[in-house]
């Protein structure tokens, strides 16, 4: 059963399981939300995405106005999205900002760091803080300033810091039962109908490699 954190007539905040599509396709999150709400005809509108392999907090609009307003907040940087990740090794600095030009190889379906601007190349910005480090891994908190496809995975991998459990961007032989160690841990936005501040936090699951650390929310 899908874990719903909050719901009202305008929106629903829920926990996306690993390896579930965030978009409205058969078996995707909107389908799971309709099932959980017991409303098979509900209009569930995606306003942001998570990679299929990634889990954690997501918000969906249940009305066209709510979805439009949440999308506007995202476009205007009034919608906070923070993540926790476990990466191999330790960043050079305990806190910092990664600024890169990212491109997309549609044949390999991978994002890469480009050296110069060109067709399809976009700037990507994220901010991070190291929360803990042990046994060759670091627990980091990440705030996105832009939302490019595979942004976190590509930017950390390009610096020799691939995410634990990432089969696409890491060459390290992590255990096969590890899910990718990237988790949507914090959402903060303004309610599209009431104007009230909404803030949701959720710790990563108690599974490896997260259990190496005392995770924070």
């Amino acid at each position: 059963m899908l874990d719903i954190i909050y719901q009202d007539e305008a929106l629903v905040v829920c926990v996306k399981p690993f390896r579930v599509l965030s978009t409205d396709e058969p078996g995707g999150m909107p389908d799971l939300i309709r099932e959980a709400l017991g409303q098979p005809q509900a209009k569930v509108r995606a306003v942001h995405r998570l990679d299929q392999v990634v889990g954690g907090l997501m918000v969906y609009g249940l009305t066209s106005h709510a979805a439009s307003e949440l999308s506007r907040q995202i476009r205007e940087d009034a919608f906070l999205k923070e993540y926790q990740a476990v990466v191999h090794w330790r960043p050079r600095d305990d806190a910092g900002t990664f600024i890169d030009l990212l491109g997309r190889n549609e044949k390999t379906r991978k994002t890469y760091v480009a050296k110069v601007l060109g067709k399809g190349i976009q700037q990507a910005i994220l901010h991070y803080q190291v929360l803990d480090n042990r046994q060759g891994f670091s627990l980091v908190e990440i705030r996105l300033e832009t939302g490019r496809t595979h942004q976190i995975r590509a930017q950390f991998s390009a610096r020799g810091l691939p995410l634990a459990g990432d089969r696409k961007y890491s060459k390290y032989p992590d255990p096969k039962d590890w899910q990718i160690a990237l988790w949507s841990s914090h959402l903060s936005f303004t309610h599209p109908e009431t104007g009230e501040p909404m803030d949701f936090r959720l710790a990563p699951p108690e599974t490896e490699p997260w259990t190496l650390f005392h995770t924070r929310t």
Side-chain angles (χ1 to χ4, degrees), residues 119-201:
K119 184 178 180 180
I121 305 298
Q122 295 178 301
Q123 187 180 67
I125 304 172
L126 65 77
H127 310 280
Y128 75 89
Q129 179 180 358
V130 176
L131 302 180
D132 201 352
N133 175 266
R134 59 186 70 187
Q135 298 183 37
F137 294 95
S138 295
L139 175 67
V140 295
E141 188 170 70
I142 301 158
R143 178 171 60 85
L144 288 181
E145 195 167 313
T146 55
R148 313 304 181 200
T149 301
H150 294 182
Q151 177 178 337
I152 293 172
R153 301 163 69 183
Q155 288 192 275
F156 275 89
S157 176
R159 290 166 172 81
L161 304 163
L163 274 61
D166 190 346
R167 317 295 175 207
K168 185 178 286 285
Y169 291 89
S170 174
K171 297 181 180 179
Y172 291 107
D174 294 325
K176 292 182 179 180
D177 61 340
W178 283 13
Q179 303 284 358
I180 187 172
L182 180 58
W183 184 256
S184 174
S185 59
H186 182 198
L187 298 179
S188 181
F189 54 90
T190 300
H191 194 287
E193 301 292 350
T194 68
E196 293 295 317
M198 308 291 284
D199 193 89
F200 302 92
R201 298 172 186 263

Side-chain angles (χ1 to χ4, degrees), residues 5 47 62 104-106 114 133 138 175 178 180 187 213-214:
I5 304 298
V47 297
L62 298 180
R104 181 78 175 159
N105 186 322
E106 293 302 336
N133 175 266
S138 295
W178 283 13
I180 187 172
L187 298 179
F213 307 96
H214 298 295

Side-chain angles (χ1 to χ4, degrees), residues 10-216:
L11 59 88
V12 59
V13 178
C14 53
V15 183
K16 176 189 171 300
F18 293 106
R19 302 192 179 279
V20 173
L21 290 166
S22 61
T23 48
D24 198 0
E25 291 150 304
M29 282 297 292
D31 263 2
L32 297 185
I33 291 169
R34 294 182 191 104
E35 180 181 352
L37 296 177
Q39 301 175 23
Q41 304 304 317
K43 300 293 186 182
V44 181
R45 297 166 170 87
V47 297
H48 65 120
R49 295 187 178 189
L50 287 180
D51 292 350
Q52 183 175 359
V53 294
V54 177
L57 292 171
M58 292 195 73
V59 59
Y60 287 82
L62 298 180
T63 68
S64 58
H65 177 265
S68 176
E69 173 61 17
L70 290 170
S71 296
R72 181 195 64 77
Q73 291 182 38
I74 291 172
R75 289 194 306 272
E76 298 179 2
D77 297 326
F79 187 118
L80 177 68
K81 294 183 286 185
E82 290 183 333
Y83 301 80
Q84 288 192 11
V86 177
V87 303
H88 284 271
W89 310 118
R90 182 171 190 155
R92 181 179 61 185
D93 301 312
D94 286 340
T97 298
F98 292 165
I99 303 176
D100 293 298
L101 298 174
L102 295 186
R104 181 78 175 159
N105 186 322
E106 293 302 336
K107 290 184 178 179
T108 62
R109 300 183 66 81
K110 290 181 69 173
T111 297
Y112 61 91
V113 172
K115 294 183 179 180
V116 295
L117 279 170
K119 184 178 180 180
I121 305 298
Q122 295 178 301
Q123 187 180 67
I125 304 172
L126 65 77
H127 310 280
Y128 75 89
Q129 179 180 358
V130 176
L131 302 180
D132 201 352
N133 175 266
R134 59 186 70 187
Q135 298 183 37
F137 294 95
S138 295
L139 175 67
V140 295
E141 188 170 70
I142 301 158
R143 178 171 60 85
L144 288 181
E145 195 167 313
T146 55
R148 313 304 181 200
T149 301
H150 294 182
Q151 177 178 337
I152 293 172
R153 301 163 69 183
Q155 288 192 275
F156 275 89
S157 176
R159 290 166 172 81
L161 304 163
L163 274 61
D166 190 346
R167 317 295 175 207
K168 185 178 286 285
Y169 291 89
S170 174
K171 297 181 180 179
Y172 291 107
D174 294 325
K176 292 182 179 180
D177 61 340
W178 283 13
Q179 303 284 358
I180 187 172
L182 180 58
W183 184 256
S184 174
S185 59
H186 182 198
L187 298 179
S188 181
F189 54 90
T190 300
H191 194 287
E193 301 292 350
T194 68
E196 293 295 317
M198 308 291 284
D199 193 89
F200 302 92
R201 298 172 186 263
L202 186 67
E206 288 294 322
T207 57
E208 292 185 316
W210 301 105
T211 49
L212 291 171
F213 307 96
H214 298 295
T215 55
R216 304 179 183 181

